[in-house]
Amino acid sequence: MAKHFVLNTGAKIPSVGLGTWQSDPGVVGNAVYAAVKAGYRHIDCASAYNNEKEVGLALKKLFEEGVVKREDLFITSKLWCDHHAPEDVPEALDATLNDLQLEFIGHSEPRRDPALANLKATYHLTSHLPGQQWRTRVPPAVDQVECHPGWQQMKLHNFCQSTGIHLSAYSPLGSPGSTFMNSNVLKEPIIISIAEKLGKTPAQVALRWNIQMGHSVLPKSVSEERIKQNLDVYDWSIPEDLLAKFSEIKQVRLLRGNFIVNPQSVYKTHEELWDGEI
Ligand code: A2P
């Protein structure tokens, strides 16, 4: 299994990247440092995670120590939904670049893609993706969404496959550390039994399922041991007969976007936000 997927831009996205959502300041820098040293080449960030400054310091240290060069890394950040108006885009991009101490995000894209200023589309609200395509001048390369064995996104998976968009999975372990939702992905008996059969951990099985689906994964961890464990998903695979069992797992969307659903929002109900897919 290759350690990357090729995007419709020709760029390569690593199959495993480090998630930084809910990684606290004070520990996120060490996690990024340990991950890159362990072989990670993709770090998934966002200004909204309130930790990009510390991620930037860790990246600077890695560059100064010669562990990697900037061009070896794929760095994702997010234009948050409060900065989608074209006139707000440069300010948000500059803030993220300053915090991360980088000249560009992505892989080797120009610092400011002129098309970006016209992207009013909200790529991460992806149940709307089919409609967004025709509203933008550039097709999306990556659609980053919640995806794990407990929320498999088969409809979106098929759409992405047929349109050449790469699906990248956030919360690929079902965010077991989140206190505001009841995640059972790593406790799912089907996953536990497959992990036992293969001599792997439930987390590794969950990650490997996504990779075999053709999706990159962005597991978050601040533990060096688990960071390494989550990268150990290349030299083994889930055989077809066990892969078939994943279709029996109950499907529940964990991240329901509560923060964006309210009477003043354009999305007044969860059904509206997710086109009924909840
Ligand atoms: P920690 O940071 O202490 O390792 P997700 O990426 O789906 O949001 O899940 C992140 C959560 O899963 C965090 O609470 C993280 O805790 C935990 N986690 C990360 N890797 C593993 C692993 N290999 N096994 C169990 N839990 C893990």
Side-chain angles (χ1 to χ4, degrees):
M1 169 66 72
K3 294 186 175 177
H4 62 260
F5 295 102
V6 180
L7 304 179
N8 60 18
T9 59
K12 291 175 182 166
I13 188 168
S15 310
V16 179
L18 181 76
T20 60
W21 178 51
Q22 301 194 103
S23 292
D24 292 330
V27 290
V28 70
N30 287 344
V32 169
Y33 187 81
V36 173
K37 280 224 147 180
Y40 283 63
R41 293 295 177 265
H42 181 187
I43 312 293
D44 181 61
C45 315
S47 57
Y49 302 165
N50 292 320
N51 57 16
E52 281 193 331
K53 271 200 174 128
E54 192 174 325
V55 173
L57 287 171
L59 293 176
K60 187 167 180 242
K61 190 169 165 215
L62 287 158
F63 299 148
E64 281 173 0
E65 290 179 2
V67 180
V68 280
K69 298 195 201 65
R70 169 63 188 94
E71 54 270 32
D72 300 329
L73 294 183
F74 195 110
I75 306 287
T76 297
S77 189
K78 322 236 162 55
L79 181 63
W80 211 246
C81 40
D82 54 359
H83 277 77
H84 282 182
E87 62 274 20
D88 293 340
V89 172
E91 183 196 32
L93 186 56
D94 278 341
T96 274
L97 290 172
N98 286 339
D99 285 353
L100 291 173
Q101 303 193 42
L102 298 177
E103 288 296 312
F104 58 90
I105 49 174
H107 186 237
S108 55
E109 299 299 317
R111 182 172 189 271
R112 205 176 269 167
D113 182 341
L116 193 60
N118 282 328
L119 290 183
K120 275 183 94 176
T122 313
Y123 280 175
H124 78 277
L125 295 176
T126 51
S127 66
H128 301 271
L129 196 57
Q132 301 295 354
Q133 262 199 118
W134 291 274
R135 286 209 256 146
T136 62
R137 285 193 284 126
V138 281
V142 178
D143 189 17
Q144 191 192 118
V145 291
E146 176 184 345
C147 188
H148 46 74
W151 188 244
Q152 299 182 10
Q153 298 270 20
M154 286 317 296
K155 196 171 152 197
L156 189 61
H157 165 88
N158 291 336
F159 175 79
C160 285
Q161 288 251 307
S162 65
T163 49
I165 297 169
H166 173 76
L167 196 154
S168 193
Y170 72 65
S171 301
L173 306 173
S175 282
S178 292
T179 48
F180 56 88
M181 60 195 182
N182 190 15
S183 169
N184 286 315
V185 175
L186 300 185
K187 295 186 216 137
E188 163 59 49
I190 291 175
I191 295 185
I192 291 175
S193 106
I194 293 174
E196 280 167 1
K197 282 200 181 98
L198 299 178
K200 302 292 170 189
T201 66
Q204 288 172 317
V205 168
L207 296 173
R208 182 70 205 189
W209 169 83
N210 247 319
I211 293 173
Q212 284 181 227
M213 293 296 289
H215 310 156
S216 54
V217 288
L218 302 165
K220 170 264 175 185
S221 181
V222 293
S223 137
E224 201 170 330
E225 187 263 324
R226 287 188 287 276
I227 284 171
K228 286 185 182 151
Q229 183 195 122
N230 295 343
L231 196 60
D232 183 10
V233 289
Y234 293 119
D235 58 358
W236 57 278
S237 62
I238 305 168
E240 284 299 324
D241 58 324
L242 296 180
L243 211 50
K245 299 250 172 230
F246 283 78
S247 63
E248 296 167 25
I249 297 174
K250 187 174 173 226
Q251 297 297 293
V252 181
R253 185 191 288 280
L254 294 172
L255 292 140
R256 293 164 50 81
N258 292 344
F259 73 100
I260 213 170
V261 176
N262 62 64
Q264 280 75 46
S265 166
V266 284
Y267 302 110
K268 312 225 181 307
T269 64
H270 290 93
E271 284 75 11
E272 266 176 40
L273 174 59
W274 300 114
D275 283 345
E277 286 184 39
I278 50 165

